[in-house]
Amino acid sequence: MGIKNDIHKRTVWAATRSMLETDLAKRQRNGVKSKRNWKLFSLLMKGFCLGLTITGLRKRGMRNALDISLTEKEVFFEDLPDAFDGYRILFMSDLHLDSHEELSDRIVSIIQSKTFDLCLLGGDYRKHIMGSYNSIKGPFEEILNSINAKDGTYAVLGNHDTYLMVEPMERNNVQFLINEHIVLERNGQKICITGVDDPYYYFTDAAIQCMEEKPAEFGIALVHTPELYDIAEENDYRFYLCGHTHAGQICLPGGRPIITHLSNGKNFFYSFWKHSNLKGYTSAGVGTSGLSVRFNSRGEVCSFVLRKKALKA
């Protein structure tokens, strides 16, 4: 196994992301730049929170936020290398570990007795998009120490994260993929995991360039949001793992989201989806953002088993 990265590229990325974080603007595909409306969103959430408190629904929503499920699914691919048939991936996104003080304990209780081949983390480790991240260091380390994954734990950043997290967190059994690849080998056969920086706030062409450089092996894309689904499909990736949407978090009956926070790939806001030869999964996320409540959605920890599907005669 080996990480395909470059110290110079990391340095350039850190300088670029530092500038983007300071600018307080969203930078998305096709050169779109817009003002972040987090303050307005927070104000609306406070008003909504008041309404929940008055109606007595806030406590129910907070209980819902801790009702995290373990989603276990098999995913079939005709071209999966034989050596990876049965390969088990733990996937968690949008942990927002400071959204509830009991959250990390709940996550640990779900994963600590299980074994995996690989763990992938999809970004958004804190609740707020600015300020200190000290409050999540302890819970994050506790979760990392409870993960039993033979091939290690790899992560990408989300739009709530800061570039300053990467170096300190990499001292604790996790490797960030910042527009980088990891190639895993079994019995001479390989799969490639490509992780790119968040495209919702911090899109740069480096993300697309990285996906275009994918090695020839069976490819899995790890991206914070589903918004690069078309780029992944164009470059022959087979499986795409993402989060960001919280499956709406606060939804209408039937799980219909009020807000998805997506500019591209809006139909892929939750669960399994398909785009041509690309299969994808958008996680509902583990934690919560804005308000520590959920309605008509459920947080999840995901376990995927890759399966080799026989070719049709």
Side-chain angles (χ1 to χ4, degrees):
M1 113 181 33
I3 298 173
K4 186 178 179 182
N5 60 20
D6 183 291
I7 293 175
H8 174 69
K9 285 184 178 179
R10 273 272 183 120
T11 303
V12 171
W13 164 79
T16 302
R17 173 117 181 191
S18 171
M19 179 196 70
L20 297 180
E21 289 180 15
T22 304
D23 191 39
L24 299 179
K26 293 181 186 179
R27 277 183 169 78
Q28 299 174 313
R29 288 174 61 181
N30 304 318
V32 174
K33 178 181 176 181
S34 59
K35 183 180 179 181
R36 297 187 207 166
N37 293 311
W38 184 254
K39 287 184 178 180
L40 175 61
F41 181 72
S42 296
L43 240 120
L44 292 172
M45 288 299 99
K46 286 179 181 178
F48 187 68
C49 181
L50 179 61
L52 291 177
T53 303
I54 292 171
T55 58
L57 290 173
R58 186 180 179 188
K59 288 185 178 180
R60 183 194 299 179
M62 293 177 72
R63 288 196 300 271
N64 292 344
L66 283 178
D67 183 24
I68 301 165
S69 67
L70 175 63
T71 299
E72 298 181 282
K73 299 289 183 180
E74 292 184 320
V75 193
F76 292 85
F77 302 92
E78 292 180 345
D79 55 349
L80 180 72
D82 292 337
F84 289 88
D85 187 15
Y87 196 76
R88 188 178 298 274
I89 298 175
L90 170 64
F91 176 56
M92 295 186 287
S93 188
D94 304 275
L95 280 75
H96 297 290
L97 291 170
D98 48 352
S99 63
H100 199 295
E101 61 182 9
E102 298 177 32
L103 184 59
S104 59
D105 289 341
R106 176 63 180 144
I107 296 170
V108 169
S109 72
I110 292 173
I111 66 176
Q112 65 182 348
S113 63
K114 296 176 172 57
T115 59
F116 303 91
D117 294 293
L118 179 70
C119 175
L120 298 176
L121 303 176
D124 275 7
Y125 307 104
R126 66 179 178 183
K127 182 177 180 179
H128 299 289
I129 62 171
M130 296 181 66
S132 173
Y133 61 93
N134 284 336
S135 62
I136 70 167
K137 286 181 179 179
F140 192 63
E141 183 175 355
E142 181 185 2
I143 290 167
L144 291 173
N145 290 337
S146 70
I147 294 169
N148 184 359
K150 299 175 187 176
D151 291 338
T153 299
Y154 297 89
V156 294
L157 293 179
N159 60 296
H160 281 244
D161 303 319
T162 172
Y163 77 101
L164 295 170
M165 291 179 177
V166 173
E167 186 177 344
M169 287 185 170
E170 284 190 326
R171 300 176 194 141
N172 293 298
N173 302 318
V174 63
Q175 172 70 55
F176 280 85
L177 296 177
I178 309 295
N179 303 321
E180 295 163 339
H181 312 286
I182 174 73
V183 176
L184 304 173
E185 183 172 349
R186 289 194 170 185
N187 300 329
Q189 297 181 322
K190 300 175 182 178
I191 63 173
C192 172
I193 314 294
T194 297
V196 302
D197 199 10
D198 166 61
Y200 185 68
Y201 274 7
Y202 304 114
F203 174 80
T204 67
D205 288 338
I208 290 179
Q209 290 170 4
C210 176
M211 298 186 88
E212 291 175 341
E213 294 166 1
K214 180 189 78 70
E217 295 86 9
F218 180 96
I220 298 176
L222 177 63
V223 189
H224 180 57
T225 85
E227 293 174 295
L228 300 185
Y229 73 93
D230 51 340
I231 304 299
E233 191 277 329
E234 287 170 9
N235 289 281
D236 300 321
Y237 283 85
R238 303 297 286 114
F239 196 26
Y240 188 116
L241 291 172
C242 57
H244 177 67
T245 66
H246 299 202
Q249 186 173 315
I250 299 172
C251 299
L252 299 174
R256 291 173 291 171
I258 299 171
I259 300 174
T260 62
H261 292 292
L262 288 177
S263 301
N264 196 31
K266 292 184 179 181
N267 292 332
F268 306 148
F269 75 93
Y270 174 53
S271 195
F272 283 105
W273 46 266
K274 197 171 186 294
H275 178 66
S276 190
N277 293 320
L278 175 68
K279 292 182 179 180
Y281 190 89
T282 305
S283 171
V286 182
T288 53
S289 178
L291 292 178
S292 300
V293 299
R294 279 186 184 266
F295 291 100
N296 299 310
S297 74
R298 191 178 184 187
E300 64 179 347
V301 170
C302 300
S303 174
F304 298 112
V305 179
L306 306 185
R307 292 292 185 190
K308 179 67 176 277
K309 181 180 180 180
L311 292 169
K312 294 180 181 178

